[in-house]
Amino acid sequence: MEAAPELALHGMVIINTVIPEDALSAGLLGTNRAGHGVVIREDGLILTIGYLVSDAESVWITTRSGSTVPGYAVAYDHESGLGLVRATMPLSAAVLDLDDALEARIGDRAYIADSGPEGELHPTRIIARHEFAGRWEYVIDDAIFAAPSHQSWAGAALLNPQGRVMGIGSLLVQTQHEGESGTSANMF
């Protein structure tokens, strides 16, 4: 059964990480990072954006109900820019379904879901799909761009109208859309 977008908020978590000062990514991304994640399995596996967990020496996960548990970085895929973390204790969070991002079309309605006790859904729409090259870590062949943008994008979920996850928030960018330059959009 597919969850409505509002129910998907119960599968969103806050991720806080501490990075050693001598880590390669510390100079560019800092030593204290915070963002969002999506619970994707009952065993506490969480999908997020990789730069939140790259080089992490400690990971803390907070659910919508306010409980905080330790976790650890499982993987960071440099090709996609995605990261996985796992909670070391049970989470009081819903498991969200993943959707096929290839089905997302320009003009489709979507929602950006963030985390925390006051997590919200932010209506958006897909305005573009194209290659994106990040100078520091990856090239995405078919990134999804959505506007209006959300200011807390790191690891946020891009949801379809049925509440299924289509993408994970990576950046806030300025893009050209329908002849307008400088449109603020989130890249997923």
Side-chain angles (χ1 to χ4, degrees):
M1 179 175 158
E2 294 179 300
E6 298 81 27
L7 296 176
L9 290 172
H10 296 284
M12 297 298 301
V13 295
I14 298 170
I15 298 175
N16 287 289
T17 59
V18 177
I19 315 304
E21 288 183 21
D22 61 349
L24 289 176
S25 64
L28 181 62
L29 300 172
T31 57
N32 291 296
R33 302 178 196 162
H36 312 281
V38 176
V39 179
I40 60 171
R41 283 197 337 213
E42 291 287 337
D43 66 357
L45 190 65
I46 298 163
L47 180 63
T48 189
I49 195 65
Y51 59 75
L52 288 179
V53 299
S54 176
D55 299 321
E57 67 180 3
S58 71
V59 176
W60 292 95
I61 302 159
T62 304
T63 66
R64 184 174 173 87
S65 66
S67 65
T68 299
V69 301
Y72 61 94
V74 173
Y76 177 28
D77 180 34
H78 289 276
E79 198 169 307
S80 68
L82 296 174
L84 292 171
V85 297
R86 178 169 283 128
T88 60
M89 300 170 64
L91 289 174
S92 57
V95 175
L96 299 186
D97 292 326
L98 302 178
D99 201 4
D100 185 352
L102 295 175
E103 299 295 319
R105 303 279 180 246
I106 295 172
D108 284 356
R109 289 181 314 116
Y111 298 91
I112 300 171
D114 61 28
S115 56
E118 298 177 16
E120 296 181 359
L121 289 176
H122 303 271
T124 192
R125 70 183 176 97
I126 297 170
I127 62 166
R129 294 189 69 143
H130 56 79
E131 182 181 85
F132 179 85
R135 65 179 169 82
W136 59 93
E137 58 184 278
Y138 54 78
V139 175
I140 303 295
D141 291 332
D142 190 22
I144 299 172
F145 296 85
S149 62
H150 180 40
Q151 295 302 310
S152 183
W153 65 85
L158 181 65
L159 304 173
N160 67 14
Q162 293 76 39
R164 295 173 61 95
V165 179
M166 297 186 296
I168 299 296
S170 179
L171 296 171
L172 178 66
V173 297
Q174 297 298 311
T175 186
Q176 185 165 340
H177 171 61
E178 296 176 359
E180 298 177 22
S181 61
T183 299
S184 178
N186 292 122
M187 186 192 85
F188 294 87

